[in-house]
Amino acid sequence: MKILTVSDQVVERVYTLSSNGHFQGVELILGCGDMPYTYLEYLVTMLNVPMFYVPGNHDPCFDLRSEQAHAEGGSNLDLKIVRHNKFLIGGFGGSIRYRPDGNNQYTQAEAYVLAFSLLPHLLLNRLQYGRALDILISHSPPFGIHDDSDPAHNGLNALNWLIRIAQPRYHFHGHTHFYKRNLANAETTIGLTKIINVYPYQIIEASH
Ligand SMILES: [Zn+2]
């Protein structure tokens, strides 16, 4: 399944890229947060494929009743797991808490509690499909992987735990920007999981 993953930055030349056939064959869009919802809606309209997304720390708290707080044409995957095209896809929005009043921000302990809530569904998947998860999307990176030492960019330990428990084939995240274009640091494999920082976008051919 060919997936367009996006996070954190609007790619201005996306329209040109699209008309050049750059996104041809893309079957799914996955949004890893901190994108204007109007931009996600634009991508969905342009490519006419399904989209799942999680909110980032710069996004409003998800609210279907507010136009500013959800993306029309896509599904919020925060703390949810869906089965799409035979892929089990789970989502975890937000980042480490660095401001007391920030949206979608959690302490390490709060993030663990949220991650634990996915456990029953992961176990059911393992019983039903022989695996817990194929793809995990989050805004934050795991702790110590593609993260940064400043208070706003520490990764979440709960994501390391989720990866260890669920062993997805892929984990896509954003939140860490490449200030020095250090793209060598965009991909790390831990166990069975390929962890990819998709900032600002990546096209990924995902296989089972
Ligand atoms: Zn962020």
Side-chain angles (χ1 to χ4, degrees):
M1 181 168 58
K2 197 170 179 179
I3 305 172
L4 170 64
T5 55
V6 294
S7 89
D8 293 81
Q9 195 185 68
V10 170
V11 178
E12 299 289 350
R13 60 205 170 91
V14 78
Y15 184 77
T16 320
L17 286 167
S18 178
S19 44
N20 289 343
H22 192 62
F23 302 125
Q24 205 163 19
V26 165
E27 297 167 85
L28 180 70
I29 300 167
L30 294 176
C32 292
D34 281 357
M35 318 249 21
Y37 287 142
T38 47
Y39 175 70
L40 290 180
E41 288 163 358
Y42 170 71
L43 288 176
V44 166
T45 308
M46 194 174 61
L47 300 181
N48 195 22
V49 295
M51 174 178 73
F52 299 105
Y53 63 94
V54 291
N57 54 298
H58 294 300
D59 293 320
C61 292
F62 176 76
D63 185 350
L64 256 185
R65 293 161 304 179
S66 156
E67 249 176 56
Q68 281 83 45
H70 77 280
E72 205 66 51
S75 303
N76 172 40
L77 202 58
D78 195 9
L79 300 176
K80 292 192 182 79
I81 298 171
V82 291
R83 186 162 181 259
H84 175 80
N85 207 357
K86 294 187 179 164
F87 281 84
L88 301 165
I89 310 173
F92 193 105
S95 75
I96 189 79
R97 176 165 296 288
Y98 58 95
R99 276 177 43 179
D101 58 344
N103 292 332
N104 308 311
Q105 297 181 14
Y106 313 111
T107 64
Q108 296 286 10
E110 286 165 347
Y112 267 113
V113 173
L114 295 174
F116 290 161
S117 73
L118 292 170
L119 202 48
H121 203 150
L122 292 170
L123 292 172
L124 272 179
N125 283 347
R126 185 146 284 163
L127 287 174
Q128 198 169 355
Y129 304 110
R131 59 197 198 279
L133 203 61
D134 296 313
I135 299 172
L136 171 65
I137 66 169
S138 67
H139 180 60
S140 170
F143 184 80
I145 300 168
H146 311 160
D147 67 347
D148 231 323
S149 50
D150 68 279
H153 291 93
N154 279 339
L156 292 173
N157 283 306
L159 290 167
N160 303 59
W161 175 82
L162 255 184
I163 289 166
R164 205 162 51 241
I165 291 293
Q167 301 189 306
R169 289 285 295 268
Y170 304 93
H171 172 212
F172 304 135
H173 71 84
H175 193 54
T176 312
H177 301 189
F178 297 108
Y179 296 110
K180 296 169 195 153
R181 299 217 132 264
N182 180 12
L183 290 173
N185 217 7
E187 199 174 311
T188 301
T189 301
I190 300 282
L192 302 173
T193 308
K194 202 177 266 189
I195 303 167
I196 301 173
N197 183 354
V198 302
Y199 166 87
Y201 81 92
Q202 298 254 1
I203 295 170
I204 290 144
E205 186 71 60
S207 55
H208 277 297

